Amino acid sequence: MSYTKRFDGRKFDEIRKMEAKVGVIPRADGSATFKIGDTIATVAVYGPRSMFPRFLQNPEKGVLRCYYDMISFSVTERKRPGPSRRSTEINLVTEKSLLPVLDLTQFPNTAVDVYIQITQANAGTRCAGICAASLALAHAGIPMKDLVAAISVGKVSDKIIIDLDKKEEDHKEGATDIPLAFTGRGKQISLLQLDGEVTKDELIKAIELGRNGCEEILKVQKKALQDYYKGEIRWMEIILNP
Ligand code: CDP
């Protein structure tokens, strides 16, 4: 059997509808929401602020700490509250995907804490979290060389597709999930995970699909920042469109 038509009718290279908004949590130093299909990530950034416990401080630069969490009723089968092995992994890969664009050298001995809440989940939550976190860090005014956009690509049955939803991830003929993140202008890969099996050629094709998808995401991210700062400052335009 072959996967000829996607369950939700999308084209194989079509991303679910996206929405992004910056400045959604007034008390936070930076915040953003990123929605892709039914998956919604909201991020609050606090910092740079003094880091405790002190022994974790780095006298040379600030430390990025990500805290990913999925609320219990974000999924159909209630998720046990609190951290898990999965969230520990996602915290680590999220930090790794964002660090290449951040310059924390001006903030020794501090922490930049990034709280990622998934309020509704239908696959691709780590990628949605990264997209929102990148926006929230920019909103917090943390020096950044670039934005980061992330999307999951993969293989469902015999097809290479972008932005798998949960039904596709659970396809009876098997699915391979490849979360990817690209830096905006640099186009460097800052996240690549692979859960399943693909050939080398399929992987190359999937990465290309992801690269194009991240271009689209980047447009949505830039628009969210531009909408927030509308009319206020020209430097944001200069940064986003050098
Ligand atoms: O969300 P992401 O694709 O980054 O990570 P995953 O571990 O591959 O999870 C895929 C999807 O499974 C999530 O987006 C949720 O929709 C679902 N999930 C769930 O229903 N219950 C959990 N405890 C964890 C994930």
Side-chain angles (χ1 to χ4, degrees):
M1 280 265 287
S2 156
Y3 190 44
T4 47
K5 196 166 184 313
R6 291 183 81 164
F7 295 128
D8 61 5
R10 272 182 293 154
K11 290 185 246 150
F12 292 117
D13 61 353
E14 188 178 340
I15 301 181
R16 291 174 288 181
K17 190 171 171 293
M18 294 180 275
E19 274 170 44
K21 196 167 179 212
V22 167
V24 292
I25 301 169
R27 224 179 76 78
D29 296 311
S31 60
T33 293
F34 187 83
K35 184 170 184 282
I36 182 159
D38 296 332
T39 293
I40 307 173
T42 300
V43 172
V45 171
Y46 294 88
R49 60 185 180 181
S50 299
M51 186 177 196
F52 296 101
R54 278 185 203 274
F55 73 90
L56 291 176
Q57 289 181 353
N58 181 340
E60 286 174 2
K61 57 180 178 180
V63 175
L64 178 74
R65 296 190 294 195
C66 291
Y67 304 92
Y68 165 101
D69 195 18
M70 233 168 45
I71 65 169
S72 294
F73 298 100
S74 61
V75 279
T76 34
E77 196 170 312
R78 179 182 174 277
K79 179 224 159 236
R80 195 164 166 260
S84 61
R85 282 177 56 158
R86 178 174 174 271
S87 66
T88 305
E89 173 211 326
I90 295 179
N91 291 341
L92 183 79
V93 299
T94 303
E95 285 161 14
K96 287 189 172 210
S97 72
L98 294 166
L99 275 172
V101 304
L102 293 180
D103 180 5
L104 299 177
T105 50
Q106 292 173 45
F107 314 110
N109 298 320
T110 67
V112 175
D113 291 321
V114 177
Y115 296 92
I116 303 169
Q117 277 291 342
I118 305 300
T119 45
Q120 195 170 273
N122 182 352
T125 61
R126 77 195 60 203
C127 293
I130 291 168
C131 293
S134 159
L135 280 176
L137 285 161
H139 178 229
I142 310 289
M144 291 169 84
K145 290 178 253 182
D146 233 337
L147 285 169
V148 176
I151 190 83
S152 149
V153 290
K155 184 177 171 186
V156 171
S157 181
D158 59 337
K159 290 283 181 334
I160 301 294
I161 64 172
I162 196 162
D163 191 23
L164 284 69
D165 66 17
K166 183 77 177 106
K167 250 174 127 179
E168 289 177 328
E169 279 195 358
D170 296 339
H171 196 280
K172 62 179 188 315
E173 284 171 37
T176 298
D177 182 24
I178 312 170
L180 284 173
F182 284 90
T183 60
R185 272 174 294 166
K187 310 274 173 272
Q188 290 191 320
I189 295 176
S190 63
L191 169 79
L192 195 164
Q193 292 185 277
L194 198 153
D195 182 10
E197 279 181 28
V198 281
T199 65
K200 187 176 157 198
D201 287 345
E202 286 171 339
L203 180 61
I204 291 170
K205 193 175 166 201
I207 291 174
E208 269 324 299
L209 206 55
R211 192 190 297 273
N212 294 339
C214 283
E215 284 295 320
E216 271 181 63
I217 294 173
L218 205 61
K219 285 186 199 147
V220 175
Q221 288 175 305
K222 283 183 184 178
K223 186 166 182 311
L225 284 168
Q226 279 159 344
D227 284 351
Y228 182 80
Y229 292 106
K230 205 164 13 191
E232 258 189 60
I233 28 178
R234 223 178 75 76
W235 61 261
M236 182 58 74
E237 286 169 32
I238 297 167
I239 291 171
L240 295 174
N241 304 306

